[in-house]
Amino acid sequence: MMNRLRGSLKYGVVIISLALAGCATVPESIKGSGTTMLTDFQVVQKAPQAYKGMEARFGGRVLSVQNQPDMTQLEIAVMPLNSTGAPFLGSTITGRMYARINRFMEPDNFRDQYVTVVGLMNGTQAGKIGDVPYTFPVIDVTGFQRWHQARQVIMPPPVYGPDPWRWHNGYYGGGYYGGDWYYPPGPAVVQDYLVP
């Protein structure tokens, strides 16, 4: 029975690993064009002028949208990104930035939404958060990805062995009847995440 259990666990680990590897791809819209990509916003924020003209990928929640005659400017509360380029929900905001898209974008499609942008760093712009002066790093956007919030329920890991709630000979009861996979009682975890 233990060999059977070990074999099943190994098979399960392989399937899960392949599934995760297949899911961890960055959408084409935010892959960028260069071989080097700035992704640490706090480093860029400390010396934005030093990174002017370099390609970067950042994302987070859009706080405001300003339409101007030749562009749309997004104010983004920057968050760390996961392996697919999506912001980590619930993570700490690392700063704010302006993302400039060189065309008109409908504000309601972006306001209070999650987005990842890729483009070239273009120095800073003075602004305010409330009444407090703030220096916003600026990125000229060459590609972006809007994300949609999804939810999944994660059950406790299955156990191989006698199912205490298995129907057998007219009654429910514990005992070993050949063994089977079953979910032990325990809380399920509800997890929110972002999808393209």
Side-chain angles (χ1 to χ4, degrees), residues 53-131:
M54 296 182 67
E55 192 172 37
R57 182 192 302 127
F58 302 118
R61 189 165 56 87
V62 177
L63 301 176
S64 68
V65 182
Q66 291 182 347
N67 292 109
Q68 299 175 12
D70 57 346
M71 71 167 181
T72 300
Q73 181 170 280
L74 310 178
E75 180 183 340
I76 300 174
V78 180
M79 304 162 70
L81 304 180
N82 65 21
S83 59
T84 67
F88 273 113
L89 289 179
S91 60
T92 303
I93 304 297
T94 57
R96 295 192 187 188
M97 68 179 302
Y98 286 145
R100 296 175 178 166
I101 303 172
N102 64 354
R103 64 183 186 272
F104 175 86
M105 305 300 291
E106 172 55 50
D108 286 342
N109 289 336
F110 287 91
R111 194 176 291 113
D112 206 32
Q113 300 295 311
Y114 292 96
V115 67
T116 300
V117 296
V118 65
L120 302 179
M121 297 307 300
N122 191 9
T124 62
Q125 180 177 325
K128 286 186 175 183
I129 299 176
D131 292 328

Side-chain angles (χ1 to χ4, degrees), residues 165-188:
W165 302 109
R166 187 170 181 168
W167 182 261
H168 182 72
N169 290 338
Y171 68 93
Y172 284 106
Y176 184 70
Y177 307 112
D180 207 354
W181 287 103
Y182 74 97
Y183 289 95

Side-chain angles (χ1 to χ4, degrees), residues 13-27 31 83-84 196:
V13 168
V14 169
I15 294 297
I16 291 170
S17 298
L18 289 173
L20 290 175
C23 294
T25 56
V26 175
K31 279 192 175 176
S83 59
T84 67

